[in-house]
Amino acid sequence: MAHGGGNKAIVAALAANLGIALTKFVAYLLTMSSSMLAESVHSLADSGNQFLLLVGGRRARREADEAHPFGYGRERYLYAFIVSIVLFSLGGLFALYEAWHKWSDPHPIESWHWVPLVVLVAAIGMEGFSFRTAMHEANLVRGRQSWVSFIRTAKAPELPVVLLEDFGALIGLVLALGGVSLTLATEDGRWDAAGTASIGVLLVLIAIVLALETKSLLLGESATKQNVADIRAALLGPGVASVIHLRTMHLGPEELLVAAKIEVTATSSADEIARAIDDAEARVRTAVPIATVIYLEPDLRREATV
């Protein structure tokens, strides 16, 4: 369900950004505004990013094989990490370069003065619709978490990526609108360059946040605290006296590996232990349905000796 919601948000953002990128680039050709060029490249990079997220989601659904016995779920994390690199290089660094170039050779917007203002206001409306769609889909899965907590702890990368991209796009559009408006009012092109530089810094910061969060997922994050508590409680039952230790790791957003050492009694037969393990696995899958791979090791609890 979360993946479906993520795809809906991605498609909405992709449709909006393709139209916005084309409109901004036409406005740049008419006005030669560096803010418009930076914003058109930003929207183009966002469109490419959303395409990458769709590709990653599709490839992650491939069946497990001999070379990848745990499946391809983490491919979604890989493509989300590539998105952060694209946003950093194509979006942020290009905007900073364009700002430096415009600051070195400033010139006012000499024709079609009204075009960038109309385009930016229209783009804010379209990006607002995309951002609203992403927020609606995220609200279905984030529960009572704050937005910061949701972005930091979400195991499915699509919604946090789209949320941050759309948020950055809206702020960038406001910065571009400010730079263009001040350039038109003062006929000083350095305001346009300042707006472009602000967009570049914003994109670089968002890209760094995305890179750090997706890197953590790529390395292998554990289940949420709530899922760990539910798994630990579900393991206990007939034949399982306690959980000696428990390890979890996400193989994908909706795939969880569970490995645990459980305490059995010394008098239990092999048949009783096997039945206890089977029952414990069933309880865990009922409590946490994303626990798709479970390994349980029976052992005796031994008191520590000095």
Side-chain angles (χ1 to χ4, degrees):
M1 187 179 297
H3 195 197
N7 279 345
K8 184 176 180 180
I10 294 170
V11 171
L14 177 60
N17 280 313
L18 285 174
I20 293 171
L22 179 61
T23 306
K24 288 175 182 175
F25 189 70
V26 171
Y28 160 72
L29 293 176
L30 292 174
T31 63
M32 302 307 293
S33 164
S34 65
S35 290
M36 296 307 302
L37 179 59
E39 275 297 306
S40 64
V41 173
H42 175 195
S43 294
L44 186 63
D46 280 354
S47 300
N49 289 342
Q50 278 117 37
F51 176 75
L52 285 172
L53 290 176
L54 290 173
V55 171
R58 182 180 179 85
R59 291 181 61 84
R61 290 194 292 271
R62 289 179 294 169
E63 295 293 332
D65 53 36
E66 186 175 349
H68 299 87
F70 292 112
Y72 292 84
R74 284 197 187 179
E75 198 138 11
R76 287 165 68 180
Y77 301 149
L78 173 63
Y79 277 82
F81 186 75
I82 294 173
V83 162
S84 67
I85 296 173
V86 172
L87 192 64
F88 178 84
S89 57
L90 188 58
L93 295 185
F94 177 83
L96 291 174
Y97 166 77
E98 182 62 23
W100 173 80
H101 179 73
K102 185 64 177 286
W103 188 272
S104 303
D105 182 25
H107 54 80
I109 299 174
E110 298 175 351
S111 60
W112 300 88
H113 293 175
W114 55 272
V115 168
L117 298 178
V118 172
V119 167
L120 289 171
V121 170
I124 288 173
M126 287 186 280
E127 283 289 1
F129 170 76
S130 174
F131 189 49
R132 179 178 175 277
T133 301
M135 290 182 65
H136 173 74
E137 297 301 324
N139 280 330
L140 298 177
V141 295
R142 77 181 178 101
R144 297 183 179 180
Q145 288 180 292
S146 67
W147 287 107
V148 173
S149 175
F150 172 70
I151 289 172
R152 295 202 61 182
T153 60
K155 305 304 180 183
E158 291 84 6
L159 283 174
V161 168
V162 173
L163 281 168
L164 284 174
E165 281 189 347
D166 285 350
F167 176 74
L170 282 171
I171 300 300
L173 287 167
V174 172
L175 293 172
L177 184 61
V180 169
S181 299
L182 288 170
T183 298
L184 291 173
T186 63
E187 296 189 354
D188 186 351
R190 285 177 294 183
W191 286 111
D192 193 18
T196 307
S198 301
I199 294 168
V201 171
L202 174 69
L203 293 179
V204 167
L205 291 176
I206 290 176
I208 290 173
V209 171
L210 282 178
L212 291 175
E213 293 304 319
T214 52
K215 183 200 75 171
S216 178
L217 291 168
L218 272 173
L219 291 176
E221 283 191 356
S222 65
T224 63
K225 291 182 179 180
Q226 184 60 54
N227 279 347
V228 170
D230 291 342
I231 291 169
R232 187 178 293 276
L235 286 171
L236 301 178
V240 180
S242 68
V243 179
I244 298 173
H245 68 70
L246 171 65
R247 300 289 185 270
T248 62
M249 184 174 67
H250 269 273
L251 303 173
E254 290 92 30
E255 298 172 276
L256 188 64
L257 169 67
V258 177
K261 180 176 285 191
I262 55 177
E263 179 189 1
V264 297
T265 59
T267 57
S268 297
S269 66
D271 183 66
E272 290 171 335
I273 292 174
R275 189 179 303 112
I277 289 175
D278 290 341
D279 292 344
E281 289 181 356
R283 291 193 299 271
V284 169
R285 289 193 171 93
T286 300
V288 182
I290 64 172
T292 55
V293 182
I294 303 174
Y295 295 110
L296 301 181
E297 177 186 353
D299 202 351
L300 301 176
R301 184 177 289 276
R302 300 174 179 84
E303 296 299 329
T305 57
V306 179

